Amino acid sequence: MKRLTTPLLATLIVLLSMTTAQARETVNISLFTWPGYGFWFIAKEKDLAPDLNLNIQVIEDPYESFALMAAGRLDVSSSTVEYGPIAASEGTPIRLVAYTNPSYGVDKIIVRPGVESAQDLIGERVAVLEGGLTQIFMGIWLEDNGVSIDQVQFVNLIMDDAVGAMLSGQVAAAEFWEPFGSVLLENMPGARVVATSSEDYWIETALLGDGMYMGEAFLDRDPELATRAMEAYFDAVAFWKENPEEGNRIIARNLGLEIGDVEMVIGNTGQTQEGGIHIFNLDESARFMGVLEGDPPLGLSNGQIRDHWTLTSEWWERFGLVDTTLEPEAGIRFDVMERLVARGAP
């Protein structure tokens, strides 16, 4: 029997590698710099979906990601969970397919030195991400403290810019998630936190949280591929829960964050991070979405995504971003998770 020569063997290995790579189906994914989305990098780096090429892009403006999804240039995006009613109202072909984690103290409203109460913000500029949960968080806090949303000027800023605007005095208050809130507090003596998502209302409503979106074209073109993409994400969550230190290193490296910033948000034990977020595994997310029996953690209820949809829709009506509250099915697709749960994925 003849042995393969070294050059021939090397050529065969390269060809086999190319064939394997070509056999992978590409899924185009976007996220912004936030530890709660970094599980995609774990899925890619640990090759938890050997049949998929997870092409991950970091895009800091979620609305840019949604535009690319609508154009068919992205398949999946991890972002905050409130966009569904806006997309449905505008006829944008994007659907929420999973609620992935509720905030558990990571979100904060911070006011500049000299602001003693919400009343001091009347006529002032406050920084939020317009059309995002930060705007609703700020709106509820203001009105709970006697200030109408019409009595302040909302300024649309992403987190980095909001920190700079506070430090330069351009805005009097802003909503931040970590690590940006801590960065501001460290660099602005006298600034103070007036509300956090660790308070009962925010935990009970799960208003502040993250989700997974998919483009309708992607969902309809290849439902099985969409299901495998979701499976890759939740497999990465399962890996992280068993290997939080390694998972955190992967997330930090790929997002360009310090390991301490990652741990501040998702912890280092694989469990709920007080002052951070609670990462849903597949079963927890499926219960929140109402496609699996039983209640999710933190005192939340089965199918609570429907209440979440109604609450965010009502606030988007108040902010003039939607005309009316549509049914959840107008902006949520449950079929991807239903298929994944049915196959008994971990």
Side-chain angles (χ1 to χ4, degrees), residues 14 26 37 87 89 150 239 303 309-310 328:
V14 169
T26 296
Y37 306 143
S89 176
D150 298 325
F239 176 90
W309 173 277
T310 300

Side-chain angles (χ1 to χ4, degrees), residues 113-259:
V115 174
E116 299 300 327
S117 71
Q119 301 294 319
D120 293 334
L121 295 176
I122 294 175
E124 297 282 355
R125 292 155 54 92
V126 298
V128 298
L129 183 63
E130 290 186 328
L133 285 174
T134 62
Q135 188 175 18
I136 297 179
F137 186 15
M138 181 69 78
I140 292 175
W141 177 78
L142 286 169
E143 298 215 336
D144 282 350
N145 287 276
V147 176
S148 168
I149 57 174
D150 298 325
Q151 292 180 287
V152 301
Q153 180 182 350
F154 289 99
V155 181
N156 186 29
L157 295 174
I158 61 174
M159 290 293 99
D160 280 338
D161 294 338
V163 171
M166 281 285 285
L167 291 173
S168 65
Q170 297 176 57
V171 298
E175 199 277 1
F176 296 96
W177 53 74
E178 294 294 1
F180 297 98
S182 292
V183 169
L184 176 70
L185 293 170
E186 290 169 5
N187 290 277
M188 194 174 197
R192 64 190 185 92
V193 177
V194 294
T196 82
S197 57
S198 63
E199 297 161 6
D200 289 344
Y201 175 81
W202 308 109
I203 294 173
E204 292 165 2
T205 60
L207 177 65
L208 303 170
D210 294 311
M212 182 188 304
Y213 297 86
M214 293 185 178
E216 268 200 325
F218 175 61
L219 288 164
D220 293 336
R221 181 180 70 248
D222 198 332
E224 174 59 21
L225 183 57
T227 305
R228 298 206 313 271
M230 181 182 287
E231 183 176 21
Y233 172 87
F234 283 109
D235 281 350
V237 170
F239 176 90
W240 172 79
K241 285 182 177 290
E242 294 296 323
N243 307 276
E245 292 185 4
E246 181 181 1
N248 285 353
R249 288 195 297 270
I250 293 171
I251 292 171
R253 182 172 64 253
N254 282 279
L255 288 177
L257 296 173
E258 297 293 331
I259 194 70

